[in-house]
Amino acid sequence: MLEYDDRIAVAVSGGKDSLSLLQILANIEQNYPKTSIIAISVDEGIKGYRDKALKIASENCKKLRIEHQIISFKKAYGLTQDEIIHNIQKKERANELTPCAYCGVLRRKLINIKAREVEADKVAMAHTLDDEVQTILLNILHGDPLRIAREKPITDLTHPELIQRIKPFCKIPEKETALYAYTRRLIFQDRPCPYSSKAMRNDTRVFLNRMEQKHAGIKFSIFRSMQRIRPALEMITEEIELKECSECGEQTTQSTCRACQLLQQM
Ligand code: SF4
Ligand code: ZN
C-alpha cells in the first residue's frame, strides 16, 4: 500500500482504530526517513462527542510529534453536523436520509481537500475488517452492489486531484485494534457518536457480530469472497468519467457533487 517516500495523511477521528493506525504507522516510519506522516481530522461539529475526540487526537499527535491539522464542517460548509440534523428534522425530512448519510459524504470531501492541501500521496483510513464487511453488506442492502468494485482497500488513481485512499487495517478485526489500543495504553474516545444508532450500519454490525460469534471466521469469508468477485464486478462496471462540480469545483461523476446536492437541500 505504501512506497518508501510517501507523504501519508492519516485520517484521525480520535477513536481506537485511527489512533492505533497512527501509532503503528509512526513506528514503521522511523525506518523510512523519506516518508512523512501528517494527521488530519474533520470536526463535524457534534457537540459533546467530536470536540472531546479531537482533543484526544491532538494529545496523541503531540506525544508522537506528528503535525495535526483539523478541518471543520462549520468553516467549510457554514453548518455543523448538529445544525444539519436540526435543519432536516425541522423540514420533516428526517426519514429520507440518516444523519450518517450527510456526515459521511461531507466528511469524505473534506478529507480529500485537506489531504491535497498538505500534499499527501496517500490517505490512510483506519477502516477495519468489520468496517469493510459492513460496507459490502450495506452496498448489497441498498441495492448498489456494483459500488463494491470501487470500494477497494487501495483506491484506483482516477484523477490527480483525488488522493489515493488506503486501508491498512482492512484485514484486522476491530477487536484486535481495540486490543492493541488497550495494551499500548492509548487514550481514545470510547463513547459512540450520538447519531450512530440511527444508521443501518449499526444493525449490520450487530448482525455480523452475532454471526461471527456463532460461526467464527465469517467476516474473513465475506471479505475474501468479495476480493474474488471484485474483478468480475469491475469488468461489468462502466468506467467513471470525472467532471468538476458546478458549485465547488471538486471532482464528481455528476454535474453537481453529492456534498453540494445535500447542502443545497439545507
Ligand atoms: Fe458522522 Fe454517523 Fe460517524 Fe456520527 S456515526 S461521526 S454522524 S458518520
Ligand atoms: Zn460540489
Side-chain angles (χ1 to χ4, degrees):
M1 290 185 178
L2 291 162
E3 301 291 332
Y4 71 100
D5 57 352
D6 272 340
R7 176 156 172 77
I8 313 157
V10 185
V12 175
S13 66
K16 62 183 180 339
D17 302 336
S18 62
L19 290 173
S20 296
L21 179 63
L22 187 69
Q23 170 109 31
I24 289 168
L25 288 178
N27 289 347
I28 295 172
E29 188 223 0
Q30 289 174 5
N31 297 324
Y32 294 87
K34 287 191 175 171
T35 297
S36 61
I37 292 182
I38 180 161
I40 56 174
S41 298
V42 177
D43 180 3
E44 301 94 342
I46 303 172
K47 210 160 180 255
Y49 171 69
R50 185 59 78 215
D51 38 2
K52 287 187 182 152
L54 288 178
K55 211 167 152 246
I56 293 170
S58 289
E59 281 161 11
N60 276 275
C61 291
K62 216 186 261 173
K63 263 190 223 159
L64 294 168
R65 297 206 182 109
I66 289 175
E67 186 187 339
H68 185 208
Q69 293 222 10
I70 303 172
I71 183 164
S72 75
F73 274 21
K74 186 74 178 177
K75 208 165 165 200
Y77 304 127
L79 288 166
T80 63
Q81 170 74 352
D82 287 338
E83 288 166 345
I84 290 171
I85 302 313
H86 181 72
N87 281 357
I88 52 172
Q89 278 165 351
K90 235 175 31 193
K91 287 185 182 173
E92 291 174 6
R93 308 181 72 128
N95 290 332
E96 284 183 24
L97 287 174
T98 62
C100 299
Y102 289 87
C103 189
V105 170
L106 298 175
R107 186 178 49 221
R108 203 178 169 109
K109 177 172 165 178
L110 291 192
I111 288 177
N112 190 62
I113 290 174
K114 184 50 93 179
R116 201 171 58 217
E117 205 179 288
V118 301
E119 297 180 342
D121 298 297
K122 312 260 167 71
V123 185
M125 311 291 300
H127 294 183
T128 60
L129 174 72
D130 295 58
D131 297 315
E132 288 300 285
V133 177
Q134 287 159 19
T135 305
I136 290 167
L137 280 196
L138 283 170
N139 283 328
I140 293 170
L141 293 172
H142 286 137
D144 197 3
L146 297 184
R147 209 188 163 91
I148 294 167
R150 297 205 299 269
E151 308 263 2
K152 297 188 213 175
I154 310 173
T155 56
D156 292 325
L157 283 168
T158 47
H159 195 281
E161 302 279 292
L162 286 178
I163 311 300
Q164 195 170 30
R165 291 156 71 98
I166 58 164
K167 301 171 189 170
F169 279 174
C170 64
K171 292 182 190 167
I172 309 292
E174 198 178 310
K175 276 188 177 173
E176 289 185 21
T177 61
L179 184 65
Y180 179 86
Y182 281 118
T183 54
R184 288 295 173 125
R185 297 182 195 282
L186 295 182
I187 295 173
F188 57 86
Q189 163 72 288
D190 55 359
R191 283 177 46 197
C193 169
Y195 301 116
S196 63
S197 61
K198 296 194 173 79
M200 199 196 275
R201 182 174 285 275
N202 206 42
D203 300 325
T204 318
R205 172 183 295 118
V206 172
F207 164 71
L208 284 166
N209 284 346
R210 262 194 215 141
M211 290 289 282
E212 182 71 33
Q213 211 171 357
K214 268 186 152 181
H215 313 281
I218 213 143
K219 292 177 190 170
F220 279 113
S221 297
I222 298 174
F223 182 82
R224 272 196 293 263
S225 298
M226 274 309 145
Q227 279 191 311
R228 293 177 66 187
I229 294 171
R230 193 172 278 121
L233 286 178
E234 282 177 320
M235 280 168 72
I236 57 163
T237 310
E238 280 174 33
E239 216 169 284
I240 304 168
E241 200 197 317
L242 291 171
K243 315 169 206 164
E244 279 181 12
C245 168
S246 56
E247 295 293 319
C248 69
E250 288 299 310
Q251 303 309 308
T252 174
T253 51
Q254 298 157 336
S255 56
T256 308
C257 75
R258 185 76 185 124
C260 288
Q261 285 176 24
L262 291 175
L263 290 166
Q264 278 165 1
Q265 289 175 14
M266 298 290 115

